[in-house]
Amino acid sequence: MVKVNLGGCDSFVKSAEFDSYVAKALDAFDVLASEKGAGNDFLGWKNLPSDTPESLVAACEAVRDDWKGRGVDLVVTIGIGGSYLGARCAIEALSHSFVRPEGVPQVVFAGNNLSEEYLAELSDLMALRNVACVVISKSGTTTEPAVAFRIVKQYLEERYGAAEASARIVAITDAKKGALKTLATNEGYRTFVVPDNVGGRFSVLTPVGLLPICLAGFDIRALLKGAAAEREALLERSALNPAVQYAAMRNLLYSECGKAVEIMVTYNPKFTYLAEWWKQLYGESEGKDGKGIFPASVTNTADLHSMGQFIQEGSRVMFETVVNIENANRSVVIGSDAQNLDGLNYLAGQSVNHCNSMAQLGTKIAHIDGGVPQLEVSIERINELNLGAIFYFFEYACGISAYLLGVNPFNQPGVEAYKKNMFALLRKPGYEAQTEAILKRI
Ligand code: PA5
């Protein structure tokens, strides 16, 4: 279960003020629960943990087993934004930092940038390995994944032949429309559907996240179970509901205390991509109509040596949300040294995790003293159950928080602006008028 601790905000807000924001958050909770708010045709994510059928989990496992039979040791997962960040977050969090277990394919990501070097180097890797591909695009028309997929598809067809290439490609897209759907139908790819009523950044518990996470060797049943348990807890209409508390405090800090930047802080590099996933979720859901908290992130203690100075003493525009992991999964104890030339014997017998916890506590006190309020979101340890819970927690809190802010959490109209210019500059058919206009500006 996810716990929220707001003690690190005590010296910044008055309790009556917080109570009034909790009341606003409960109103927003009601809007989300009633399913009558803005964007209410995109609420399918709310019931995914309870409604996902066993047959979907089994279908993911069938792909895993089929590709294992073909000796696949590299799965290229193509997608951008909500079509890759959740899977990447879970795989980075759950994987060994250095060693891949025997018999489990490496899952790598592509289609999330337009770097030529990145794709050239992916080709170098594919040449060394036994390759399959998952291509993910809800709209089926996004340029970055489409470019990457054309390259990977051609590579697989040249290397394995058309029929075997088709068996090594799975498409995850809309049930009916989009170029990827057409391509998948024509080429006979296995497909999974992104439900109509689930937006990209809320799709980690659909096949968009489940299939790559399963292929990387992790327990997607446990992921869904953790999310289902969290869902049960968050459905309760209560001032103590952790999602209500989180939404209330972050909006209070933003609206009343001038804190326009929220930094997600982790003390475990395995959670660096949790912050990337969270930044998209909150950035795209709230950053509109001239409003919203800018989501940023640091991974400590590394970033205490890069961003720490600014957070301690720079512009006082931010608050921090620390993702606290109560227990480490592994223990490493610092040994004693007879010569003690490094002066570290005072730590002999202590675990590295104890040092990390003391760094976290020391930083909390220093940052509060420096004018940076601290919220804490805790899980017991990193595993599939708790990841499912934290995914659901941040999604649910995001819905409440955006409604409290007064924006539609489920659209992203601003994302189109760069695309129109890019298409015009690339001379995509249909953009001729925009091409003329834009060329005059450069
Ligand atoms: O949250 C969103 O809707 C977006 O970030 C999309 O996930 C992203 O733009 C990718 O879109 P698509 O899956 O249609 O390729």
Side-chain angles (χ1 to χ4, degrees), residues 93-109:
L94 296 168
S95 294
H96 191 287
S97 302
F98 305 103
V99 181
R100 187 160 45 89
E102 197 75 21
V104 175
Q106 181 185 8
V107 175
V108 297
F109 294 89

Side-chain angles (χ1 to χ4, degrees), residues 125-415:
L125 178 66
M126 289 194 295
L128 301 171
R129 306 287 285 278
N130 188 331
V131 190
C133 171
V134 179
V135 54
I136 309 171
S137 176
K138 183 180 179 193
S139 62
T141 56
T142 309
T143 309
E144 292 89 337
V147 168
F149 183 56
R150 181 176 280 209
I151 290 163
V152 173
K153 175 180 185 286
Q154 286 178 349
Y155 173 82
L156 291 176
E157 286 170 352
E158 271 166 35
R159 177 164 164 189
Y160 298 109
E164 177 64 13
S166 293
R168 287 167 178 260
I169 294 171
V170 168
I172 306 179
T173 189
D174 188 86
K176 297 193 193 94
K177 57 182 189 305
L180 181 56
K181 174 64 190 166
T182 311
L183 191 61
T185 307
N186 284 4
E187 301 283 4
Y189 301 152
R190 268 173 289 197
T191 55
F192 288 79
V193 171
V194 191
D196 270 351
N197 59 358
V198 181
R201 59 189 173 276
F202 288 84
S203 69
V204 61
L205 298 174
T206 72
V208 170
L210 295 178
L211 180 63
I213 296 167
C214 175
L215 293 172
F218 301 111
D219 182 355
I220 54 175
R221 284 188 174 77
L223 191 80
L224 287 164
K225 194 172 164 197
E230 188 65 23
R231 176 179 175 275
E232 282 303 309
L234 297 185
L235 288 181
E236 191 189 343
R237 190 188 192 281
S238 156
L240 297 178
N241 180 320
V244 168
Q245 294 240 318
Y246 174 62
M249 184 56 85
R250 62 196 297 282
N251 277 283
L252 165 55
L253 292 169
Y254 170 66
S255 298
E256 311 296 336
C257 308
K259 303 294 187 187
V261 176
E262 178 175 9
I263 306 175
M264 175 172 276
V265 185
T266 173
Y267 284 80
N268 187 329
K270 286 180 185 291
F271 263 3
T272 298
Y273 262 87
L274 175 71
E276 295 304 317
W277 170 82
W278 167 87
K279 284 193 281 192
Q280 189 210 354
L281 180 64
Y282 281 74
E284 274 190 355
S285 300
E286 294 191 322
K288 53 196 69 157
D289 306 338
K291 300 190 223 179
I293 300 168
F294 184 82
S297 64
V298 293
T299 301
N300 289 345
T301 61
D303 289 337
L304 289 170
H305 298 260
S306 57
M307 298 304 291
Q309 169 61 35
F310 193 110
I311 298 170
Q312 189 67 47
E313 295 183 342
S315 313
R316 302 296 70 195
V317 292
M318 76 282 280
F319 63 96
E320 293 183 312
T321 294
V322 178
V323 178
N324 180 47
I325 303 162
E326 288 167 358
N327 294 299
N329 283 324
R330 303 284 298 274
S331 172
V332 175
V333 173
I334 300 165
S336 170
D337 185 279
Q339 289 190 299
N340 195 28
L341 294 177
D342 54 11
L344 275 186
N345 271 356
Y346 75 102
L347 292 178
Q350 304 280 5
S351 70
V352 175
N353 198 44
H354 173 71
C355 299
N356 204 23
S357 300
M358 293 308 106
Q360 184 175 329
L361 189 55
T363 306
K364 175 177 180 174
I365 295 164
H367 287 184
I368 290 171
D369 288 349
V372 181
Q374 286 236 342
L375 293 78
E376 229 168 59
V377 172
S378 295
I379 56 167
E380 193 267 324
R381 67 178 65 246
I382 299 181
N383 59 24
E384 286 95 333
L385 272 177
N386 292 329
L387 258 186
I390 207 164
F391 280 141
Y392 197 84
F393 167 79
F394 278 121
E395 288 178 353
Y396 207 81
C398 183
I400 298 174
S401 189
Y403 280 143
L404 197 170
L405 185 65
V407 298
N408 176 353
F410 306 113
N411 66 1
Q412 55 284 329
V415 179

